[in-house]
Each structure stands twice: as structure tokens, then as C-alpha cells.
Amino acid sequence: MSGTRLRDASPQSLLATLDPSAPLARRHLWLIGFLAWVRGDRRSVDGALARLQRFVEAAEGDAQARARLQAWWTTLVGTVDITTLLADFGFAPRTALASEMAERLRYKLLPGSPETIDASELFMLALPTDFDAQWLAALDEPLLERLLALLAPDDGTGGTTRWQQSLLDAITYCAGQILSTGFAPELRLRMAGAARDAQPFHALIRDVESLRVEVLHQLRTTDRLDEAVLRLRERLEACRAAAATVYAHFEDNGISVGLVFRLRQLRERILRVRDLLDCLLSPTPATSAARLMARLVTVGRERRSLRALVASNSSLLAAKVAERSAETGEHYITRTGAEYGAMVAKAAGGGFVMAFTTLMKFGIAALALSTFWGGFWAGVNYSVSFVLVMLLHCTVATKQPAMTAPAMAAKLKELQTPDAIESFVDEVTHLVRSQVAAVLGNVLVVFPAVVGLTQGIAWVSGAPAISPAEARHVLHSLQLFGPSLLFAAFTGVLLFASSIIAGWAENWFVLHRLDSAMEYNPRITRWLGTERAARWARFWRDNLSGFAANVSLGFMLGLVPAFAAFFGLGLDVRHVTLSTGQLGAALTALGTSTLHEPAFWWAAATLPFIGALNVSVSFYLAFRLALRAHSVTRVERARITAALRSRLRSAPMQFFVPRRAA
């Protein structure tokens, strides 16, 4: 049965198709079809419960159907081990993030088979929707007791039930996994000294075995059982607290996504043992079992989600990247007139270097290399230029926003203090002024510098630095009503991506303690000397982020358009400083008569929009990342937006020009 036929089927017809002697796959297909019939159209939980009640009534009134149902259930629980579902469902089979991502991709892309003895796989096939969690959680005790009496009637012998034995086995399996993770050296060595000395994991298995003995051999009084349960709960809490001390190590020594993944798995295992304990000790075991199954349905939904896996395990890394970018971004925010002037001077130096970068770009284009090699050498050109700007302590305007956004978001930690919103708005005005100063410094220098250099080349060689055809292409590519603005926004995405790479590289450097290795490694100190090795270690610790950002940005600007062209996407980059330099080269090649052409002025009018999109897109993406890292609420964001609008109406010039000192 399927679709409408299945929804319209009667309980009697479902029972008639039940064959306890059928092959494994057929028996499981009947279970999958039966639960689909219970779900129906998934519009009403009450409707699902009513269908289940009709099924129970039909089975109670038919002795032969009841016998087949009991035989089918006995075969099912004897074939499929429910302990694996209780202990391992929702957890990665291997303690590596990459293998878990591959496993989830398999669940998404490949269909599951009902011909399985893995209870976890059968569970995901039979209860695949969020609606299943709703109707399972809504099951009441009388209906559950009637269903249980149909499937496995009480034989009156007392003692431990199969369900209790499965719960005890699942607790033992989970405890073993917790123990192996807690003893892993990469976690144990990062725990706080006091937590490691307390040895909370050592006695975990002993406490689980004590619980097993008390459950299997119960006395008339429950004192010893209660004591064993309390001892196990306290041991689990001690294990959780010891594992949590690893996060403090991350604060000072960098974050590993793999370790975060293992810690989250450990925490979830501890929570699973608590759930199993509650179910084992519940006075209403049927209701507790239904609630546990409902929670496992939710776990199964998350088990298929790649987004949930990446988000939950990369949030700490995002916070650390934002924090490290914030430390760098503080240097790019000017607050006084003197700092504003210094920023203009640094940007002017960056604009002068970018003038040579522009000419090298035209030189590489003149070689007519293949698409890949042209993009590669363009990336080398950009990377060398950006690194040179950094080492000369100059600046390129568009690289700042992705660094300054986390610095701004870091100010949001103190929104509860008086005048915090106004103070943050003041910081925004400082930031916008800094960006304006940097863009003006770049643009106002790169244009005349390129014009002067191209005129010098023309005077020495007797021919223009670029051909008139290339110059016309520049004017055409920079038109306001073309794709330039889209390309400028895309360039902003690349600028943001370079900041993420920079934060990740610095975190990786700190995590593996490479500065300490460079300073104290015998081979390095023997080669460089002790003092020079220490200087190099400090240099790389302070500048690795900058090198990673500049080199990655350069190669992305050069190679991403080449790879996009391979796939026929036609993407390009528009960087405001480089575009301004190209316009200067085009003016020199075509002569001053170009100033009378509308195409030149349309291209010039496009430059402010390119700069605005470069800056705003990269800032927006970085700011959103930092907001998520600092857990800023929607209400607080609304207050900030309203305060910014108010300041823009009352004092718009503060966003462009520093206030005079009193």
C-alpha cells in the first residue's frame, strides 16, 4: 500500500497483510507502512492517535490477528537489537568531523534499505518526520498499556524485563564511549590540572556496574539502588565538568574544530545516559519509552542535517576568528583628527604601491597567457603588492572592513551598561570616517600616480603604456549600468573570505604552538641563533594573519574569475583602487579628448559605488559573523539601528569628517 491507498486503509486490512514469517525486509516494510498509516496526512496529532486507537481495538477484537502481531513483535525484537538505537543513535561512528560529514551526505543522497538488523537505520526509515515526534510525545498511558499488552503480554513471572535489560546495556555502551573519549590524550592534556587530578572518568564503569547489579538483583528496599543511581549521576556530572575545562584551554591556545566535535559528542553521550537512567527508573515505563522515542526522532532529523553539524561545531571557531580579527581591526579605527590624517597618509602610500600593481596587471594581460596562468600571475601580482603595503605599514582601504567589523561587534558585549548604545554609535561614526579617509587616500593617489607612470612610459618608449583597444575595454567594463556593481559586491565577498582565512590561519598557528617551536627548536636556534629565532617567532606570531589575508586575497582576485570562466559563469572582480588606476591608464592612452566623452564620466561615476559595495558587503558579512559569535539578540540590533538613523539625521557630517577638538 502507498499514498492515498495507505491513508484510506482500515486497521483490519493492515492486520490481514501482516505475516510474521515473511522475509526480513517484508516484515520491516510492514512496520514502515503501518507507521505511515498512523501519520496519515500529518495535519493532526489527535487524528494520528485516533488511528492508532482504532488499530489497537481491531487487534484486541481478533484473536488470530493478535497472535500474528505478537509473533511478529517477538521476531522483530529478536532480530533487531534495540540497544544500538538507545546507545548509539545520533552519534558519529567515528570521532572525526570529516567522516561524520561524509556519513550525513550518504544519508541525504542514498536511500536506506529495510533489509537491515541495525535498529538505528530501521528507526530512521520508520519515523522520518518531525510529526512522528509530536504524536509519540502525545501518547497517553492507557493507550500505551493496551498496545504493550498486545505486543508483549505480561507473563506474570516478574523480574527484569527485556526493556530494562536493553536500557542497562545501552547505559554500559554509552559509558564505555564516554570513558574512551575522556581518556583520549588530546582532551586529557587540555583539561585543567585539578580536573585531571580528580580522575572523574576512572570510576565510571564501576558505578555503571553497581547500578546494573542493583537493578538485576533488587532487594525489598530501594536504598542501595538509590545510592547507586545518585553516585552515577554525580560521576556523570564530574565527567561533564572536567571535559568543560577544555574550553578554557581553547581561549588561550586556539580552537580545533575536531576537538570541539569530540567534546560535543561527549556531552551528548552524558545527556543520553541521563535520559536512559530516567527511563529505567520511571514508575511509568511505557510513557517514558514513548517520550524517549520522540526525542530520538528529533535526534534522527538532526542526524541528517549538514547545516546543523557545521553550525554547532564551528561556532566556537567563528567566535575565535572574530576575536582575533577584532584585535587587528582596532588598528584601523581612527578617533581623532591626528589619527584621521595618519590614516589618509597610510592610504596614500597604499595607493602609490597599487599604481605599480595596476601597470603590472596590464603587463600580464599583454602576455596573452592561458586563462589559468593569467589568473595565477595576476594573483601573484596582487599578493606581492598587498604584502608590500602591509610591510610598509600602509593600507588598502577595502581590506579594512572585514577586520573592523569584529572590533565593532566586540563593543556590543556591554550593551546593558548606561549610554552603551550612544557609545556604539560614536564608534560607528569613527569607523565610517576611517573608511572614507582610507578610500580617499587610495583613490586620490593611485589615479595621478598611474597617469604619471604611464606618461613616463609613453615618453620613454614612444608608445602608450596600454593600447587604445585596452583603454576602450576599461571604459566599457566600468560602466555604471553594466555588471560592474555586481562584480564589486562579489569582490566584497572575497574580501570577507580573506579575513576568515586570516583568522583561521592565526588560530591554527597558535593551536599548534608554532611560535614556541620556532623560538626553542634546537635545529632552528642552531641555524638562526637564539635571539634571531625569538625575533622570527614574534614576527610570525604578529604578522601571520596579515600574510594569510593578503596572499589569499591576492590569489582569489586573480584565480576566482579564471575558475568561474571555466564553468562559464562570467564572474569578474572590481576593486575600487585597481579600477581607479585602470581608469587613469585609459585616460593616458586615449588622450585628454576622452574627458569630453560621456563614457569616461560614466566610468568615473561608477567608482564611488564600487568602493561602497566593496566596503559594505565585506563589512556586513564580517559583522553578521561577529554578531552570531557574541550572541547579540534581534531586540538589541533594532535598538542599534534606530540610534544610527537618529545620529545620521542629526549630525550626518560626523560620518565623514572628524570633529574639531575643543
Side-chain angles (χ1 to χ4, degrees):
M1 299 182 191
S2 61
T4 306
R5 288 180 58 196
L6 183 62
R7 288 197 298 270
D8 296 338
S10 65
Q12 291 78 9
S13 62
L14 282 172
L15 288 168
T17 60
L18 177 59
D19 182 6
S21 62
L24 177 71
R26 291 295 175 187
R27 295 198 304 271
H28 292 173
L29 283 173
W30 184 89
L31 174 63
I32 295 169
F34 164 67
L35 292 172
W37 175 80
V38 172
R39 281 192 296 272
D41 55 11
R42 289 182 281 181
R43 293 181 182 177
S44 169
V45 172
D46 292 337
L49 297 181
R51 281 188 289 274
L52 182 60
Q53 184 161 353
R54 293 206 316 271
F55 177 84
V56 170
E57 291 171 352
E60 288 173 338
D62 188 337
Q64 292 183 351
R66 189 164 63 249
R68 287 200 309 274
L69 188 62
Q70 292 172 4
W72 171 83
W73 177 255
T74 302
T75 306
L76 176 68
V77 298
T79 306
V80 178
D81 184 8
I82 196 175
T83 307
T84 59
L85 171 67
L86 299 174
D88 298 320
F89 186 59
F91 299 108
R94 289 165 292 278
T95 56
L97 183 62
S99 61
E100 176 63 8
M101 291 186 70
E103 189 75 4
R104 295 196 182 200
L105 275 173
R106 181 179 73 83
Y107 284 132
K108 278 184 170 294
L109 301 177
L110 300 179
S113 170
E115 193 172 13
T116 178
I117 61 172
D118 187 342
S120 299
E121 290 190 8
L122 180 59
F123 187 84
M124 285 195 294
L125 290 172
L127 299 166
T129 69
D130 292 327
F131 182 77
D132 292 306
Q134 297 174 26
W135 70 263
L136 280 170
L139 287 170
D140 56 16
E141 182 72 17
L143 181 58
L144 283 168
E145 291 293 346
R146 292 170 63 189
L147 182 60
L148 182 61
L150 279 175
L151 297 174
D154 189 2
D155 56 8
T157 59
T160 307
T161 64
R162 181 192 290 268
W163 173 244
Q164 289 176 311
Q165 291 175 349
S166 298
L167 288 170
L168 286 171
D169 290 342
I171 291 173
T172 303
Y173 296 162
C174 281
Q177 293 289 345
I178 293 169
L179 188 66
S180 65
T181 305
F183 281 168
E186 58 267 29
L187 264 68
R188 191 177 68 252
L189 295 176
R190 289 173 169 83
M191 290 180 189
R196 192 165 54 245
D197 294 339
Q199 299 182 338
F201 293 92
H202 288 64
L204 179 61
I205 296 298
R206 184 187 65 197
D207 292 339
V208 170
E209 286 303 313
S210 297
L211 173 72
R212 174 182 286 273
V213 169
E214 297 303 328
V215 172
L216 295 178
H217 307 285
Q218 292 185 16
L219 301 176
R220 291 184 178 179
T221 62
T222 61
D223 295 345
R224 291 181 57 177
L225 175 60
D226 295 340
E227 182 181 347
V229 171
L230 179 61
R231 190 164 55 244
L232 179 56
R233 290 187 187 278
E234 290 176 347
R235 184 70 60 189
L236 290 170
E237 177 59 26
C239 292
R240 187 204 60 78
T245 62
V246 177
Y247 289 102
H249 181 277
F250 288 157
E251 288 297 319
D252 301 322
N253 299 280
I255 290 175
S256 165
V257 176
L259 287 180
V260 172
F261 176 69
R262 298 192 70 172
L263 283 171
R264 289 186 179 275
Q265 291 276 292
L266 176 63
R267 178 179 175 274
E268 294 300 324
R269 288 271 186 191
I270 292 173
L271 294 177
R272 178 67 60 83
V273 173
R274 290 177 178 174
D275 289 341
L276 295 173
L277 268 176
D278 293 339
C279 202
L280 178 67
L281 304 171
S282 173
T284 55
T287 303
S288 299
R291 304 298 181 270
L292 179 60
M293 292 299 113
R295 286 195 293 274
L296 290 180
V297 170
T298 304
V299 169
R301 295 286 292 171
E302 294 176 354
R303 186 77 173 83
R304 302 181 185 91
S305 174
L306 282 171
R307 180 182 298 178
L309 176 69
V310 173
S312 62
N313 290 283
S314 62
S315 57
L316 274 181
L317 180 60
K320 183 57 67 179
V321 168
E323 180 182 322
R324 298 198 184 281
S325 297
E327 295 171 4
T328 305
E330 278 290 337
H331 304 306
Y332 294 117
I333 301 177
T334 65
R335 296 178 175 84
T336 65
E339 291 176 348
Y340 186 86
M343 177 61 70
V344 174
K346 289 180 180 180
F352 184 73
V353 173
M354 296 302 288
F356 291 91
T357 308
T358 304
L359 294 181
M360 285 297 298
K361 173 181 170 64
F362 284 118
I364 293 170
L367 296 176
L369 300 172
S370 65
T371 303
F372 171 79
W373 287 110
F376 174 81
W377 287 110
V380 171
N381 177 36
Y382 296 144
S383 299
V384 170
S385 301
F386 293 149
V387 169
L388 182 60
V389 169
M390 181 191 74
L391 295 177
L392 292 175
H393 301 289
C394 298
T395 187
V396 177
T398 52
K399 287 178 69 278
Q400 297 177 11
M403 296 295 182
T404 52
M408 295 300 301
K411 310 289 184 186
L412 300 178
K413 294 180 180 179
E414 304 171 356
L415 278 183
Q416 287 72 28
T417 60
D419 302 325
I421 297 293
E422 285 301 313
S423 176
F424 180 78
V425 173
D426 288 337
E427 288 294 311
V428 173
T429 62
H430 300 328
L431 171 66
V432 174
R433 285 202 305 266
S434 304
Q435 299 300 318
V436 171
V439 171
L440 288 177
N442 281 169
V443 169
L444 295 179
V445 170
V446 72
F447 186 86
V450 170
V451 169
L453 288 172
T454 50
Q455 284 183 337
I457 292 172
W459 180 75
V460 171
S461 64
I466 64 173
S467 66
E470 287 179 294
R472 290 292 175 187
H473 175 72
V474 168
L475 295 181
H476 176 73
S477 65
L478 291 177
Q479 291 304 296
L480 182 61
F481 297 105
S484 288
L485 299 185
L486 174 63
F487 296 158
F490 175 67
T491 305
V493 176
L494 298 184
L495 291 161
F496 165 71
S498 71
S499 72
I500 295 298
I501 293 172
W504 174 86
E506 186 175 2
N507 179 76
W508 177 83
F509 187 88
V510 173
L511 178 68
H512 294 282
R513 306 178 67 186
L514 295 185
D515 52 342
S516 177
M518 293 176 65
E519 185 172 358
Y520 298 112
N521 183 272
R523 292 176 60 188
I524 295 176
T525 53
R526 187 167 57 249
W527 182 42
L528 295 176
T530 304
E531 293 184 2
R532 187 177 298 172
R535 287 199 304 271
W536 271 103
R538 287 193 299 271
F539 173 81
W540 281 105
R541 176 64 180 83
D542 296 336
N543 295 284
L544 179 74
S545 176
F547 278 109
N550 288 303
V551 172
S552 63
L553 176 61
F555 277 101
M556 282 192 291
L557 291 177
L559 283 174
V560 168
F563 282 108
F566 176 79
F567 292 102
L569 297 179
L571 278 176
D572 205 347
V573 294
R574 292 289 185 272
H575 190 283
V576 62
T577 309
L578 292 170
S579 296
T580 304
Q582 290 174 323
L583 187 61
L587 176 64
T588 305
L590 297 174
T592 55
S593 61
T594 312
L595 295 173
H596 301 287
E597 297 182 15
F600 176 84
W601 294 109
W602 277 115
T606 308
L607 297 176
F609 294 97
I610 292 177
L613 285 169
N614 287 165
V615 169
S616 60
V617 170
S618 60
F619 180 85
Y620 172 77
L621 294 174
F623 194 61
R624 284 294 301 269
L625 174 70
L627 287 177
R628 189 166 71 248
H630 294 303
S631 302
V632 179
T633 65
R634 289 180 178 269
V635 175
E636 291 169 338
R637 295 181 198 179
R639 291 170 57 202
I640 293 168
T641 303
L644 284 172
R645 289 174 179 168
S646 176
R647 180 68 63 88
L648 191 60
R649 288 193 300 267
S650 61
M653 291 307 297
Q654 288 185 12
F655 290 87
F656 301 97
V657 181
R659 286 180 287 188
R660 294 181 179 272

